[in-house]
Amino acid sequence: MSSIVSSQFDLHECHGGVVPELAARRHVTAIVPVVEQALQQAAVDRDDIDAIAVTQGPGLAGALVVGMNAAKGMAYALGRPLIAVNHLEAHIYANWLCDAPDLPKEPVFPILCLLVSGGHTELILMTGHGHFRHLGRTLDDAAGEAFDKGARLLGLGFPGGPAIEEAARAGNAHAFELPRAWLQGTHDFSFSGLKTALLRLTEPMREPQSDRGPETLSPTSPSGPFKPHLPPLYTAGSPITDLAAAFQDAIVEPLAVKTAQAALEFGAHTVVLAGGVAANALLRERLRHEVLRLCGPGVPVVYPRLAYCTDNAAMVAGAAAWIIRRGDLVGWEADVHPRLSLLPT
Ligand code: KG4
Ligand code: ZN
């Protein structure tokens, strides 16, 4: 009915990544206006709300606490149930939002799910609603984190995924050979070696930092004493777009190939892509290609609409609708869980 996203990129960009304290403080000021705007856009009254859903974790504690307290306040004031949603489950359930494209009908179980975000890279077998079996994960950096670190190294800005994707459009992915960690015989991933390889490759192309005067510093944040990020400067003619294309390819290829292999191995009827990195056009295309090649045309690959790939509240509400059907309501003692996983531990 409505989905309002209050972006904080402006606040964090000059730091080259998210500053947790600034994130929490921006949540404090944004949360009430965002709720008001969502109600207005949906043209519904507070009393029309059936339940309040909130992200419980995983995520940054300070930001989660702001959401949890606001949700408890609303649920208490309205006398409605509170639903605590796992952020990872919400990303997956973005694929059930009714206007998801390429969704002829609901994804059919068993579903092989590749969840790729800034903090997670996981291969999950979903055998039914709320039933998740963990197959593999990244052993070091998450795919989104790799995009962000790569973009930082290349001086392409934050968030790194869209910046690398944009730069890669003008580049040649075959101009450089970057390593892929295949971790054969497992369903795990690894991206830290790739990041180190990019660092080694680009070091000789950079201007020495000591040559740079203070005028080249990014503007400091008006919100506090947090260090600005000093983007690297490259010598003229450095092949940044080729490096971006090769780097993107080296992240996408193992993700697509290993997901398709797992889909075949576990007899998945649908492959589902989720998380911020699911917005990446090359990943969508490669995954389709690999699943078609290995599993045939009977196994569709689905992914959410672009707006529902990166963090949003619609996916939290969408997951909550399924959680309500399972009867999983929480009480007032509900707390945030910054390191919550998808499976009960
Ligand atoms: O799910 P998300 O919004 O936040 C987390 O839960 O982490 O994912 C954010 C991540 C960031 O690392 C960002 O660089 C990446 O998703 N991302 C992309 C693209 N759009 C966002 N990565 C690759 N290509 C994109 N188009
Ligand atoms: Zn997320």
Side-chain angles (χ1 to χ4, degrees):
M1 296 170 77
S2 76
S3 174
I4 307 291
V5 174
S6 168
S7 171
Q8 300 194 358
F9 293 144
D10 60 325
L11 185 62
H12 302 289
E13 194 175 10
C14 65
H15 303 290
V18 173
V19 181
E21 189 192 318
L22 295 181
R25 283 157 60 185
R26 178 64 74 86
H27 275 68
V28 171
T29 56
I31 198 150
V32 172
V34 164
V35 170
E36 288 294 324
Q37 215 183 327
L39 288 170
Q40 246 174 40
Q41 196 183 81
V44 297
D45 197 63
R46 284 182 184 74
D47 293 329
D48 299 326
I49 296 172
D50 295 318
I52 308 289
V54 62
T55 303
Q56 186 168 34
L60 296 173
L64 292 170
V65 163
V66 176
M68 178 61 83
N69 281 336
K72 277 189 183 179
M74 281 185 74
Y76 190 72
L78 296 172
R80 298 290 192 274
L82 180 70
I83 320 277
V85 178
N86 182 313
H87 183 68
L88 308 178
E89 190 170 349
H91 269 305
I92 293 171
Y93 272 106
N95 284 285
W96 274 261
L97 289 173
C98 59
D99 59 353
D102 303 327
L103 204 57
K105 48 187 178 332
E106 281 188 3
V108 181
F109 298 108
I111 296 169
L112 201 288
C113 179
L114 174 65
L115 174 59
V116 267
S117 68
H120 292 82
T121 294
E122 320 223 347
L123 261 185
I124 296 148
L125 186 68
M126 197 177 170
T127 50
H129 286 293
H131 294 284
F132 304 100
R133 180 176 155 200
H134 208 268
L135 304 178
R137 61 159 55 93
T138 179
L139 302 183
D140 37 60
D141 294 348
E145 187 182 357
F147 271 110
D148 293 337
K149 287 177 175 173
R152 221 174 129 117
L153 279 176
L154 294 174
L156 290 174
F158 176 81
I164 290 210
E165 182 167 25
E166 175 65 30
R169 277 196 200 106
N172 171 13
H174 303 293
F176 294 95
E177 187 63 43
L178 286 167
R180 279 101 166 118
W182 288 106
L183 306 176
Q184 301 287 3
T186 75
H187 300 294
D188 293 328
F189 302 96
S190 165
F191 298 107
S192 66
L194 172 62
K195 178 195 59 194
T196 309
L198 185 68
L199 176 69
R200 296 275 168 271
L201 198 59
T202 53
E203 254 165 3
M205 303 175 190
R206 281 196 222 136
E207 304 273 7
Q209 296 271 328
S210 54
D211 289 358
R212 301 172 61 184
E215 72 282 0
T216 56
L217 284 172
S218 303
T220 47
S221 161
S223 324
F226 300 101
K227 261 178 63 185
H229 164 61
L230 193 64
L233 273 187
Y234 281 92
T235 48
S238 294
I240 299 298
T241 54
D242 288 347
L243 287 163
F247 188 74
Q248 175 177 244
D249 220 60
I251 295 176
V252 162
E253 193 186 5
L255 288 173
V257 170
K258 294 193 79 165
T259 303
Q261 285 170 346
L264 180 68
E265 183 181 337
F266 291 93
H269 288 177
T270 312
V271 173
V272 152
L273 189 55
V277 184
N280 187 275
L282 184 69
L283 177 59
R284 290 170 172 224
E285 182 197 310
R286 274 292 174 84
L287 189 58
R288 267 186 189 289
H289 175 82
E290 291 300 328
V291 171
L292 181 65
R293 189 173 69 80
L294 284 182
C295 309
V299 181
V301 175
V302 300
Y303 35 75
R305 226 180 79 183
L306 274 183
Y308 301 143
C309 288
T310 41
D311 290 350
N312 64 89
M315 69 185 192
V316 181
W322 291 97
I323 294 171
I324 290 172
R325 282 177 222 187
R326 308 203 296 255
D328 259 349
L329 309 181
V330 290
W332 299 119
E333 71 288 353
D335 196 2
V336 300
H337 290 287
R339 300 181 65 82
L340 190 66
S341 79
L342 197 51
L343 301 172
T345 44

